[in-house]
């Protein structure tokens, strides 16, 4: 299942670039120092630089940034923070309190990814101007795997799509620019959505500033796709069915690392396990449909056992050979197999009793096979049974999306039950979801709200909606889009879940993620994007930018970079991996972060 | 031969040559004797002003007229020193009498006035800046002054009428230094002698020669070795490198020696009692004395020769010679470089000379060429180098060509020779010839050029506004764009914006852009700033349009007061930080109302502003929402505030406010839900009062749940009816709560209720969740048929499960039971297997 690896393009170089840059920042504070890190950056830092590297550049102790300042032990202290108000306030408190006791403590603040003017302003207001030295550290894409890059900007989705702050796009553009610097200007570009457009615009600005020499470089990446998360909300809302997706849903994968609880690893303490293609067994099962994973694991386990049994009948010299070469790999294989088997077991055990119903409902909603009444009933059941908030919200949103908006009566009833179950403060949450168009109530009382919407020139909410995501026009709801893009496969065609050939296998053949569909269509034609494809994109919110290489210029090998603004799910990654195999293209997926439905929804929940 | 006809021998194998570099463009009408002249080194411009001391003062003119010419006599500018510009600062208007003119290293004209004011002008007469030599100099007035080249910079030294010396070592950082006091008495002459980083002053007073430096407290007397002591020094000159000095006594004796007076090179009797007009060094090898029309050259070994000039002239001392500027022509007098003597000298047998000869013969197609070549076949490389170097020091292109041809001819015999020196010589000579053209008027010699370096030469051309020539040179020599073309163009643009023009600002901006394009290294910001400084704001705005670095562009626009445009540009850039910067500034600048009105035209900016307000300034956010009549937004804001407050009355008030706003927004769902919340909240407050338990932050379900946990079934019932909770939900709540609290009786009672809307699966589930298998078993048999088997299995009732599965005749159920069997169920296992083997089972 692994995509063709023969095409070069070493993304690992990105990690080195980032770590070099980090080292440079650290060396700006020469000598011994303590490092205090924003919790949000911990995972990212792990991926960029190991503890030994940090140690070798003078880092003594590392702490997570918390309200209580850690004890002062060395004469220098480096804070690594995101520019967020709360963290900066805490930092300022630290500096004030430490300053009283240790007046000669030197404080460096490294802002990730950029030192923005309001941070300087805030620190000035706190009276810290001059008391600390400011730096910035702008990481590039972090390779979570050789085909998955992430910027680990977990708040991007909320910032951009809910709050209308697209500043993260600049960082994405910079990161893509670095890639282009390494691998040449990408000739074919297809971007759709507001954030995507902002990225392309910034990229153009950056290109203008670059020296024109680069254009002569032979491109090593032929296609660049940039999509906004709001082009496909359905995919993250659905329950993930690939093994990797299931792991993410159940245990949570952060920056490519999963933390298995004790029962899975067979120890008392939870253990962090990195998940990537270096682990060949994992590489084989990660994109498999969950249903076929355990049988595969069992077969594998039997093979391993058989090999071990063979060893029983070996001659001495054969045995020596076996111990020297194979035993170690067999043992580690064995350990990995056991781990994943236990993980499978744990997932199967913990899935909801009515998992089947849940899936049927979800897929019924998407394909339109089951009627809305059943889904509503199921949702009400879930609410009555006090399922977790995020689960209920996911289903609620999916219900609303697939019905192209709910009738006011429906909406009022469900919303009221939702608030009764989880508290009325989630009125804000519901409002946020409505702003994102994840929820939509077709207000029938046209005389009241309808008027407001029409004269949206004066209505901020309406305008915010314009800003954050362009409202789809009438008759262009999700269902129309799904039909136009042919996201719902023919129900009569059976999908082989074990040896899939169509990306829709990730949802039991009920739905194809938009990204996989569009990228697949685009890659099926060599050269420029077809007008049909561009036309069909019009059903998605936002506008399209497409660029094609001038005829005759070098195009390079078939390598595509797919960038998702606002988070990519492992399901989409799996679908694209399959696409990579079937289309003979190497596909590299890049995103602001990896995301799953719970993260998507809880990102906008009012705290 | 013409090449050496202007040579004059001064001692063994030492020649001096004097040749005309320009005939002066200013025509013959100028009698230099009437003028005070200052010439800049490296072929720089000449400044002339009428020498007032030569005329009887009829009236105080106050504003002397200064003319500036290029070395070829082309007028660059003329202007009056306008002291009002200077003295405005002092609020006093005094007219200074111009005492000395000089040039700085950067080719700015330095004018020293009698009252100690020093004014700087560029060569186009644009006032640069001013400083003065201190209060004392101002009070006592200056009798004479000198502009000199100090360590790395240009300095000014003055001698006041009270015999005090003050010095500024760097005109760009004017710090006045006082030198030790001189004894009373007239000073005959004085000059500044640079020594390493310090500048000393040598003064001739009476019969004494005194050295002053700023460290010692008193002057130090020096005693040069005169053949006939007793004279006093009336004139002195220091060589350009400050190592040598020439002193002229009142009896006409010229003493030449090291600048510390310790070593005497020679003494020469000029045989003239008349004090020469000027005394100067020609390079380092000879001293030149200039009387009215006589020029006497005295070499350091005492040999001398004279030239007669056709008009009164001025000497301009250079590092490798001296330029003689007359009213009709401009000559260069210099020592003939040794390599030229070797190559061109009569009867020279140096390899270079022979190669030159061979080359000439070769061109004449004479076989003698071969003989010459034979003689130098072992030293061909040296010969080539000599010819090259000789060519470098030739002024006439003809001579240069001849020598270069010879060099290339010789080089063709050494294929492995490095071509770089040849290339460099040819290229540089072309550049030199171009700038020597009388239209440009930069008579640079090769060694001056070497010393000046090419970038500085380009700067000087740019400074003189020879932009096209500078561009040509930069392109010709393939200088990197950032050092060459784009820098020159940027200067041109800066110059262009300062020029008054009939054309519209738009047109000028376009013109500049069409020339400059987007060459790397060009900063439109700089150009726009220049335009702004010149008071052409509109032009600056037009120019900054072309800046492609958004940040620079926005900052300049803000400085120009173009706030809207700045905001628009910032928005286009998509750089949030930049947008915030503009917003922040606008907020400071405008009144709150104006600010809000402005940003409502820019939705993205408004969104960003509102976002920052959410964290920092909710009142401002409310203002915006009120301004926009956005009741929905205000309502939501109120709701958020409600949950931020823990005080019951505040929260209730906020919620009621929100409800009112939702009503005005005609948002029914929000209104209804807020009203529900208010109702619930009132209930919760009542409950809290009655039971002394926290309820207010709980949802409706949680409230009921907790009531049930406490056994308050009646209260729960009341809430249920009040909030119209559906049967199903209420049952679920009860089942869960009873099990959690261990109220098994209540649960059993509930189970007896016939109207069970949720079936018995939840009962089993909750019992198992609390770990009570026994209770679970009670309900397991009552669940729906299809779930029975799995429920029984979960309760551990495998026997019953088997029984049911068998009754259902379902193979899958049986298999399910089998899978659940552990090692302790051996018997059951075998029975199941037996049952499973029954072929009549439903699959």
């Amino acid at each position: 299942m692994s995509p063709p690896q023969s095409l070069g393009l070493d993304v690992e170089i990105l990690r080195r670039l980032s770590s070099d840059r980090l080292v440079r920042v650290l060396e700006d504070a020469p000598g011994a120092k303590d490092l205090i890190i924003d919790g949000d950056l911990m995972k990212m830092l792990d991926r960029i630089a190991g503890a030994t590297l940090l140690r070798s550049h003078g880092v003594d102790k590392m702490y997570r940034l918390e309200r209580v300042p850690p004890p002062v032990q060395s004469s220098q202290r480096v804070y690594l923070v995101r520019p967020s108000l709360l963290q900066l306030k805490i930092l300022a408190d630290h500096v004030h309190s430490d300053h009283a006791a240790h007046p000669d403590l030197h404080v460096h603040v490294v802002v990730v990814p950029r030192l923005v003017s309001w941070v300087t302003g805030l620190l000035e207001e706190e009276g810290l101007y001059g008391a600390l030295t400011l730096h910035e550290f702008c990481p590039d894409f972090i390779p979570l795997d050789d085909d998955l890059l992430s910027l680990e900007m977990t708040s991007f989705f909320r910032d951009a799509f809910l709050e209308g702050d697209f500043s993260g796009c600049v960082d994405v553009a910079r990161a893509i620019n670095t890639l282009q610097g390494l691998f040449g200007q990408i000739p074919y570009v297809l971007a759709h959505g507001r954030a995507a457009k902002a990225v392309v615009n910034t990229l153009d600005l950056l290109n203008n500033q670059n020296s024109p020499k680069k254009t002569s470089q032979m491109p090593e990446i032929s296609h660049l796709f940039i999509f906004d998360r709001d082009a496909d909300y359905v995919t993250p809302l659905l329950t993930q069915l690939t093994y990797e997706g299931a792991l993410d849903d159940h245990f949570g994968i952060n920056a490519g690392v999963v933390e298995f609880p004790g029962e899975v690893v067979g120890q008392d303490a939870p253990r962090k396990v990195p998940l990537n293609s270096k682990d060949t067994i994992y590489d084989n099962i990660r994109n498999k449909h969950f249903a076929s994973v355990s049988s595969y694991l069992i077969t594998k386990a039997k093979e391993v056992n058989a090999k071990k049994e063979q060893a029983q009948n070996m001659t001495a010299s054969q045995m020596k050979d076996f111990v020297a070469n194979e035993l170690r790999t067999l043992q580690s294989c064995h350990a990995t197999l056991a781990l994943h088997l236990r993980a499978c077991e744990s997932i199967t055990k913990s899935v909801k009793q009515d998992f089947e119903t849940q899936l049927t409902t979800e897929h019924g909603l998407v394909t339109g096979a089951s009627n809305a009444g059943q889904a509503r009933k199921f949702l009400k059941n879930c609410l009555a049974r006090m399922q977790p908030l995020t689960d209920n919200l996911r289903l609620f949103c999916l219900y609303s999306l697939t019905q192209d908006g709910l009738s006011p009566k429906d909406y009022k009833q469900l919303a009221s039950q939702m608030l009764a179950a989880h508290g009325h403060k989630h009125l804000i949450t519901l409002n946020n979801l409505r702003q994102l168009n994840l929820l939509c109530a077709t207000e029938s009382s046209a005389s009241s709200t309808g008027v407001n919407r029409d004269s949206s020139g004066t209505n901020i909410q309406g305008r915010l909606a314009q800003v954050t995501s362009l409202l789809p026009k009438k008759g262009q709801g999700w269902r129309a889009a799904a039909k136009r893009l042919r996201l719902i496969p023919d129900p009569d065609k059976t999908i082989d879940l074990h040896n899939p050939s169509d990306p829709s296998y990730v949802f039991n053949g009920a739905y194809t993620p938009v990204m996989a569909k569009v990228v697949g269509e685009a890659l099926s034609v060599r050269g420029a994007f077809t007008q049909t494809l561009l036309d069909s994109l019009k059903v998605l919110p936002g506008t399209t930018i497409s660029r094609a290489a001038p005829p005759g210029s070098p195009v390079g090998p078939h390598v595509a970079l797919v960038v998702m603004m606002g988070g990519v799910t492992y399901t989409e990654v799996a679908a694209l991996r399959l696409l990579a195999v079937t289309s003979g293209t190497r596909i590299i997926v890049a995103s602001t972060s990896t995301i799953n439905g719970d993260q998507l929804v809880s990102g906008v929940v009012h705290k | 031969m013409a090449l050496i006809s202007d040579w004059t021998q001064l001692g063994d194998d030492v020649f001096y040559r004097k040749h005309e570099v320009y005939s002066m463009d200013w025509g013959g009408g100028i009698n230099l004797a009437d003028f005070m002249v200052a010439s800049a080194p490296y072929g720089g411009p000449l400044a002339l002003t009428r020498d007032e001391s030569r005329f009887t003062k009829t009236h105080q003119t106050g504003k002397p007229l200064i003319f500036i010419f290029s070395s070829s006599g082309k007028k660059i500018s003329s202007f009056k020193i306008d002291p009002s510009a200077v003295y405005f600062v002092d609020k006093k208007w005094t007219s200074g009498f111009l005492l000395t003119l000089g040039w700085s290293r950067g080719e700015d004209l330095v004018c020293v006035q009698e009252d100690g004011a020093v004014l700087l002008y560029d060569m186009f007469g644009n006032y640069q800046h001013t400083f003065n030599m201190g209060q004392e100099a101002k009070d006592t007035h200056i009798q004479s002054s000198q502009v000199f080249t100090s360590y790395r910079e240009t300095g000014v030294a003055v001698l006041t009428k009270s015999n005090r010396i003050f010095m500024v070592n760097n005109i760009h950082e004017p710090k006045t230094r006082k030198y030790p006091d001189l004894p009373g008495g007239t000073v005959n002459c004085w000059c500044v002698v640079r020594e390493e980083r310090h500048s000393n002053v040598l003064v001739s007073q009476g019969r004494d020669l005194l050295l002053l430096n700023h460290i010692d407290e008193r002057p130090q007397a020096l005693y040069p070795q005169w053949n006939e002591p007793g004279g006093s020094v009336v004139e002195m000159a220091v060589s350009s490198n400050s190592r040598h000095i020439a002193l002229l006594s009142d009896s006409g004796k010229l003493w030449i020696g090291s600048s510390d007076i310790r070593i005497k090179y020679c003494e020469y009797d000029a045989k003239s009692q008349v004090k020469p007009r000027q005394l100067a060094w020609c390079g380092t090898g000879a001293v030149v004395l200039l009387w009215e029309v006589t020029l006497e050259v005295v070499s350091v070994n005492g040999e001398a020769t004279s030239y007669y000039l056709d008009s009164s002239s001025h000497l301009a001392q250079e590092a490798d010679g001296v330029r003689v500027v007359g009213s009709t022509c401009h000559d260069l007098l210099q020592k003939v470089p040794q390599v030229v003597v070797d190559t061109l000298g009569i009867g020279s047998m140096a390899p270079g000379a022979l190669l030159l000869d061979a080359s000439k013969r070769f061109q004449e197609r004479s076989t003698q060429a071969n003989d010459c070549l034979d003689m130098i076949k072992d030293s061909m490389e040296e010969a080539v180098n000599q010819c090259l170097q000789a060519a470098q020091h030739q002024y006439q292109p003809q001579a240069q060509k001849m020598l270069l041809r010879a060099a290339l001819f010789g080089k063709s015999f050494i294929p492995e020779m490095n071509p770089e020196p040849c290339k460099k010589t040819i290229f540089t000579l072309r550049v030199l010839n171009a700038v020597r053209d009388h239209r440009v008027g930069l008579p640079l010699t090769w060694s001056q050029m070497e010393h000046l370096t090419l970038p500085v030469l380009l700067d000087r051309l740019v400074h003189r506004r020879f932009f096209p020539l500078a561009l040509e040179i930069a392109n010709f020599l393939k200088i990197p764009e950032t050092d060459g073309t784009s820098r020159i163009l940027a200067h041109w643009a800066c110059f262009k914006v300062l020029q008054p023009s009939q054309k519209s600002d738009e047109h000028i901006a376009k013109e500049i852009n069409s020339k400059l394009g987007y060459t790397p290294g060009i900063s439109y910001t700089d150009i726009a700033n220049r335009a702004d400084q010149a008071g052409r704001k509109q032009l600056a705005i037009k120019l900054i349009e072309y800046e492609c670095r958004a940040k620079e562009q926005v900052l300049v626009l803000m400085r120009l007061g173009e706030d809207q445009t700045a905001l628009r540009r910032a928005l286009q850039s998509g750089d949030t930080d930049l947008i915030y910067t503009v917003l922040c500034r606008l907020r400071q600048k405008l009144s709150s109302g104006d600010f809000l009105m402005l940003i409502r035209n820019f939705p993205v900016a408004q969104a960003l502003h509102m976002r920052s307000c959410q964290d920092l300034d909710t009142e401002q956010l409310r203002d915006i929402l009120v301004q926009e009549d956005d009741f929905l937004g205000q309502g939501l804001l109120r709701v958020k505030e409600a949950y931020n407050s823990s005080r019951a009355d505040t929260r209730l008030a906020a919620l009621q406010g929100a409800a009112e706003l939702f009503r005005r927004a005609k948002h029914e769902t929000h209104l209804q839900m807020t009203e529900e919340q208010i109702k619930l909240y009132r209930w919760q407050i009542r409950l809290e009062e009655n039971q002394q338990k926290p309820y207010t932050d709980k949802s409706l379900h949680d409230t009921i749940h907790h009531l049930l946990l406490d056994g308050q079934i009646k209260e729960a019932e009341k809430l249920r009816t009040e909030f119209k909770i559906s049967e199903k939900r209420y049952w679920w709540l009860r089942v869960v709560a009873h099990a959690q609290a261990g109220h098994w009786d209540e649960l059993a009672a509930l189970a007896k209720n016939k109207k069970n809307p949720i079936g018995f699966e939840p009962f089993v589930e909750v019992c198992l969740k609390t770990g009570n298998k026994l209770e679970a078993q009670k309900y397991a048999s009552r669940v729906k048929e299809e779930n029975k088997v799995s429920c029984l299995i979960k309760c551990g009732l495998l026997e019953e499960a088997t029984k049911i599965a068998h009754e259902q005749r379902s193979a899958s159920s049986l298999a399910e039971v089998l899978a659940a069997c552990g090692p302790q169920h051996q018997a059951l296992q075998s029975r199941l297997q037996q049952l499973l083997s029954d072929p009549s089972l439903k699959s």
Side-chain angles (χ1 to χ4, degrees), chain A residues 85 114-118 122 159 163-168 170 194 202 205 209 353 377 380-381 383-386 408 411-412 415-417 419-425 427-428 430-431 434 443 445 447-449 452 457-461 463-464 467 606, chain B residues 548-550 572-577 580-581 600 602-604 606-608 610-611 614-616 624-625 628 630 632-633 636 639-640 643 662 665-670 672-674 676-677 680 698-702 705 728-729 732-733 736 761 765 794:
Chain A
L85 196 66
R114 276 184 303 151
L115 180 56
V116 290
S117 56
W118 70 261
L122 182 92
D159 286 348
E163 319 249 18
D165 174 1
F166 285 88
S167 53
V170 179
R194 282 182 46 84
T202 317
L205 284 176
Q209 286 170 20
Q353 186 194 19
K377 207 170 130 200
K380 281 184 184 169
N381 251 332
L383 286 168
R385 290 169 46 210
M386 297 201 269
Y411 175 76
K412 210 188 271 181
S416 159
Q417 290 190 17
L419 298 187
H422 299 289
H424 279 83
K425 68 175 180 185
L427 182 65
I428 309 280
L430 292 182
N431 199 70
R434 285 178 73 156
E443 296 290 346
S445 41
S447 55
S448 54
T449 43
N452 256 343
T458 56
N459 181 327
I460 292 234
Q461 228 62 45
R463 277 210 275 153
L464 264 183
V467 169
H606 181 65
Chain B
C548 51
R549 291 167 302 168
Q572 274 169 12
S573 78
D575 182 344
T576 321
D577 187 33
Y580 274 132
T581 315
R600 63 186 301 243
F602 303 96
V604 175
Q606 197 177 34
L608 280 177
M610 284 167 70
R611 171 155 192 230
Q614 257 170 23
D615 293 335
L616 301 166
I624 298 174
L625 294 169
E628 302 294 332
D630 184 350
L632 181 61
L636 290 168
V639 174
K640 277 180 207 165
Y643 295 111
F662 287 139
K666 301 204 170 72
H667 201 293
E668 281 184 34
T669 25
H670 281 6
Q672 187 194 328
M673 284 167 207
T674 312
E676 261 174 35
Q677 164 73 88
L680 174 65
K698 293 192 167 61
S699 73
L700 176 61
H701 287 195
D702 286 344
H705 183 72
K728 234 186 208 174
R729 274 199 297 156
W732 263 102
L733 283 167
V736 171
E761 289 86 348
E765 202 180 301
K794 277 186 204 158

Side-chain angles (χ1 to χ4, degrees), chain A residues 474-494:
Chain A
K474 238 187 178 165
Q476 291 197 339
W478 177 83
R479 192 147 293 284
K483 200 168 169 196
R484 182 73 202 261
L485 290 169
R486 286 175 285 123
L487 298 179
I488 295 147
D490 187 356
D492 302 331
K493 222 170 79 186
T494 47

Side-chain angles (χ1 to χ4, degrees), chain B residues 113-380:
Chain B
Q113 297 194 134
E114 196 180 20
D115 57 358
V118 181
L119 293 90
L120 269 73
Y121 289 82
D122 73 6
M123 68 174 78
F124 298 96
N126 298 315
Y127 168 72
Q128 304 290 309
H129 76 117
T130 188
F131 61 91
N132 68 56
M133 298 300 295
Q135 193 60 37
E136 195 174 336
K138 193 172 175 179
D139 294 344
T140 57
H141 278 186
I142 295 170
Q143 52 169 306
S144 62
S145 64
Q146 276 201 355
V147 178
F148 63 95
T149 305
S150 62
Y151 176 72
R152 287 193 165 167
E153 248 312 320
T154 302
V156 174
V158 298
L159 172 68
T160 66
K161 288 188 174 158
S162 56
N163 270 5
R164 286 216 167 130
I165 288 178
F166 294 95
M167 192 186 289
V168 162
N169 250 318
N170 179 353
I171 50 172
H172 297 294
E173 294 167 13
K175 243 191 312 186
T176 314
R177 273 196 180 134
K178 184 172 172 289
Y179 275 68
D181 286 347
L182 286 171
T186 339
V187 172
N188 300 326
C189 65
W190 60 283
C191 72
V192 180
V193 184
R194 188 171 46 125
E195 186 191 326
E196 294 294 309
R197 297 189 177 199
H198 311 292
S199 300
N200 300 335
V201 181
L202 193 63
V203 180
S204 154
Q205 196 179 32
R207 303 201 171 276
D208 302 328
L209 199 57
L210 303 169
L211 183 72
L212 288 74
N213 62 35
H214 70 280
I215 307 163
D216 294 339
E217 277 177 21
R218 45 187 70 250
Q220 175 194 350
L222 294 175
Y223 304 100
Q225 297 288 311
W226 292 97
N227 289 344
E228 295 169 44
S232 63
V233 175
V234 290
E235 190 72 66
M236 48 177 87
V238 187
S239 70
S240 292
N241 62 6
S242 294
R243 295 232 184 94
H244 317 292
I245 197 162
L247 308 168
L248 186 71
S249 76
D250 53 355
S251 53
K253 301 281 190 302
L254 183 69
W255 186 98
I256 306 176
S258 67
S259 59
D260 56 6
I261 315 290
R262 293 217 177 98
I263 304 163
K264 173 174 159 185
Y265 305 150
C266 74
E267 196 176 319
Y268 171 80
D269 188 357
K271 299 188 186 74
S272 165
Q273 300 295 321
V274 185
K275 188 182 153 190
R277 250 168 67 80
Q278 245 184 310
L279 180 68
W281 278 84
C282 170
T284 52
V287 177
V288 182
L289 295 100
L290 173 73
W291 285 274
E292 217 45 40
V293 288
T294 323
L295 193 71
E296 186 131 19
V297 184
V298 184
S299 83
V300 287
N301 34 33
E303 309 266 347
T305 185
S306 301
Y307 292 95
Y308 296 97
L309 310 171
D310 45 15
S311 63
S312 62
S313 301
H314 172 81
L315 296 180
Q317 185 173 313
E318 295 276 7
D320 61 344
V322 64
R323 284 181 290 124
V324 186
V325 185
S327 53
T328 53
C329 64
H330 187 157
D331 293 342
L332 175 65
L333 173 71
Q334 66 174 163
K335 184 186 168 192
V336 182
Q338 193 53 47
V339 61
V340 180
V341 177
D342 286 347
T343 319
L344 295 175
I346 296 164
S348 166
M349 294 299 279
L354 291 169
L355 177 61
L356 180 63
D357 201 24
S359 159
K360 280 182 191 157
R361 306 272 160 152
F362 176 72
Q363 280 160 48
E364 288 162 9
R365 298 167 175 267
S366 157
T367 49
Q368 282 171 316
N370 200 32
D371 302 340
C372 295
L373 284 174
D374 258 358
M375 292 165 78
I376 50 165
K377 62 174 185 255
D378 297 327
S379 49
M380 187 58 90

Side-chain angles (χ1 to χ4, degrees), chain A residues 463, chain B residues 586-587 590-602 606 609-610 613 619-628:
Chain A
R463 277 210 275 153
Chain B
L586 286 174
R587 245 184 113 171
L590 301 174
S591 72
S592 175
D594 288 346
F595 172 70
L596 294 181
M597 284 312 280
L598 174 69
I599 63 166
R600 63 186 301 243
N601 300 323
F602 303 96
Q606 197 177 34
H609 180 59
M610 284 167 70
C613 285
E619 283 316 305
Q620 169 103 78
L621 180 59
R622 199 188 318 280
D623 284 350
I624 298 174
L625 294 169
V626 169
Q627 173 188 305
E628 302 294 332

